[in-house]
């Protein structure tokens, strides 16, 4: 037996934000990030629609990229004091993920962050509040997923919170919000989305329900991501739907070690002045993980199906896997994303010498590999890596060398 869970209502298309005024309640908290939603007027519109619905509104703003445990706990304390019956998160993955974790703490004040990280171990929510997510970026799809990523900066590790309880009740996918994304964000969120779809399709938890969503998302992303990056707004709008389909797929089929590695490397080198941005990490690691997973016959066949839907050619699955890897690497080139950590600059662009020194990477490698194996996403990967294999795979992702094991 398996489960397939999505938000009860998903409003999509231009003007979908207006559906906030149909929510029924007395108090709403809006959780928002660093300022773009305010700058472009969407925060004011959201607040206005909620007030039109007859609600008193409080705003929790300033959620940082890669939201911290501290941000979650501080936001939850404000919610406990205010007592909302709706939590509305608006923006990219960061404010929505943070708001999901705040929601848990709001409903269960004694719940610790460690409790939240117990996979599918969260108690029943919706005793105090319902949750509405409004996405402004085209990648994380957290508006429809059972996941939240929170960073423990003391440990330099990103932790996924995974439970169907945190799947939003209402998702609003309005492409007008995504049209404001800067070009670099288009690239990173888009590669996050295709990674979601590819990993969901080869996951050991895939199903007929998730497969259809994953494959169509891949087709759309192949058609629209680079054009969106280059400023085509019709493609930008299409990408907002595509990333949501990919999110529906992976929220139910789960992910794999591309995400495990991205979670555990993202903040691992913050003391050297930067993070490896999540979408860029996925973009760099995905071709390497495909080569690693393709040693599994079932995964290889499924990668071949993906290549067929992308019309890449190839007379057998081995050729199709190589063509898929080449297509994804070309996508990275078209989006100005480096191929490996060694060439990943502090600004996320390709450079001859990236911000992570080789000796530092090698020194931290065993711990990063151990943490990646222990990540919640590893269990559904089609090929389970040993410590030695994970270290070798991460080295390939550092140096951009061939995966032949």
């Amino acid at each position: 037996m398996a489960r397939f869970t999505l938000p009860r209502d998903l409003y999509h298309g231009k003007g979908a934000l207006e559906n906030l005024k149909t929510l029924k309640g007395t108090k709403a908290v809006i959780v928002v990030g660093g300022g773009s939603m305010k700058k472009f007027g969407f925060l004011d519109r959201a607040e206005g629609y909620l007030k039109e619905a007859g609600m008193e509104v409080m705003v929790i703003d300033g959620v940082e990229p890669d939201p911290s445990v501290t941000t979650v706990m501080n936001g939850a304390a404000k919610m406990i004091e205010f007592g909302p019956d709706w939590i509305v998160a608006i923006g990219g993955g960061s404010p929505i993920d943070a708001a999901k974790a705040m929601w848990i703490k709001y409903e269960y004040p004694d719940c610790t962050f460690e409790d939240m990280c117990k996979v599918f171990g969260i108690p029943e929510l919706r005793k105090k509040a319902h949750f509405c997510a409004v996405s402004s970026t085209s990648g994380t799809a957290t508006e429809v997923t059972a996941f939240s990523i929170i960073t423990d900066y003391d440990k330099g590790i990103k932790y996924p919170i995974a439970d169907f309880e945190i799947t939003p009740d209402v998702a609003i996918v309005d492409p007008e919000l995504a049209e404001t994304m800067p070009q670099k964000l288009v690239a990173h969120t888009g590669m996050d989305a295709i990674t979601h779809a590819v990993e969901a399709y080869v996951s050991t938890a895939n199903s007929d329900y998730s497969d259809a969503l994953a494959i169509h998302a891949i087709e759309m992303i192949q058609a629209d991501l680079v054009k969106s990056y280059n400023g085509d707004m019709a493609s930008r709008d299409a990408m907002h739907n595509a990333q949501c389909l990919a999110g529906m797929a992976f929220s139910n089929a789960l992910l794999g070690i591309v995400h495990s590695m991205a979670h555990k490397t993202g903040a691992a080198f913050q003391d050297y002045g930067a993070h490896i941005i999540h979408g860029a990490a996925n973009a760099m690691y995905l071709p390497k993980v495909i080569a690693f997973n393709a040693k599994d016959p079932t995964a290889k066949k499924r990668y071949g199906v993906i290549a067929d839907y992308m019309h890449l050619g190839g007379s057998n699955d081995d050729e199709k896997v190589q063509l898929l890897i080449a297509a994804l690497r070309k996508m990275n080139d078209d989006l100005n994303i480096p191929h490996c950590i060694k060439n990943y600059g502090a600004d996320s662009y390709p450079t001859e010498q990236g911000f992570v020194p080789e000796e530092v990477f090698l020194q931290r490698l065993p711990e990063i590999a151990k943490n990646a194996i222990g990540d919640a996403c590893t269990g559904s990967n089609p090929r389970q890596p040993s410590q030695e294999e994970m270290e070798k795979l991460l080295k390939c992702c550092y140096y951009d060398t061939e995966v032949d094991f």
Side-chain angles (χ1 to χ4, degrees), residues 31-34 36-37 63-68 71-72 89-102 131 133-145 147-151 158-159 166 168 177 181 185 188-189 192 196 240 243 250 278-279:
V31 180
V32 72
S36 65
M37 291 298 95
V63 174
E64 73 273 42
D66 304 306
S68 67
T71 294
V72 168
I90 179 168
S94 296
I96 298 174
D97 280 5
K100 286 178 175 178
M102 292 173 193
F131 194 99
V134 186
S135 57
S136 68
T137 61
S138 301
T140 69
T142 188
E143 73 275 6
V144 293
T145 75
F147 294 90
S148 164
I149 308 299
I150 304 299
T151 303
K158 294 183 179 183
Y159 289 95
I166 60 170
L177 281 70
M181 284 193 294
L185 190 58
H188 294 161
T189 55
D192 192 18
H196 290 156
H240 210 43
Q243 64 86 31
F250 93 78
H278 180 72

Side-chain angles (χ1 to χ4, degrees), residues 1 20 41 56 61-62 64 79 91 102 111 124 149 239 243 257 273 278 302 304 315 335 337 342 355 381 401:
M1 188 189 78
L20 286 174
E56 183 185 347
D61 59 6
E64 73 273 42
M79 289 183 186
M102 292 173 193
C111 183
E124 185 180 348
I149 308 299
M239 274 299 302
Q243 64 86 31
I257 58 172
H278 180 72
R302 285 196 151 247
S315 58
L335 300 171
I337 296 173
K342 178 173 168 286
F355 84 93
N381 194 70
T401 48

Side-chain angles (χ1 to χ4, degrees), residues 390-403:
M390 181 59 83
E391 288 186 26
K392 286 169 74 174
L393 189 54
L394 283 161
K395 279 185 181 178
C396 291
C397 292
Y398 184 85
Y399 296 109
D400 192 22
T401 48
E402 189 177 344
V403 177

Side-chain angles (χ1 to χ4, degrees), residues 343-356:
N343 299 131
Y344 183 94
D347 58 2
S348 83
Y349 292 122
T351 183
E352 192 169 331
Q353 181 54 60
F355 84 93
V356 181

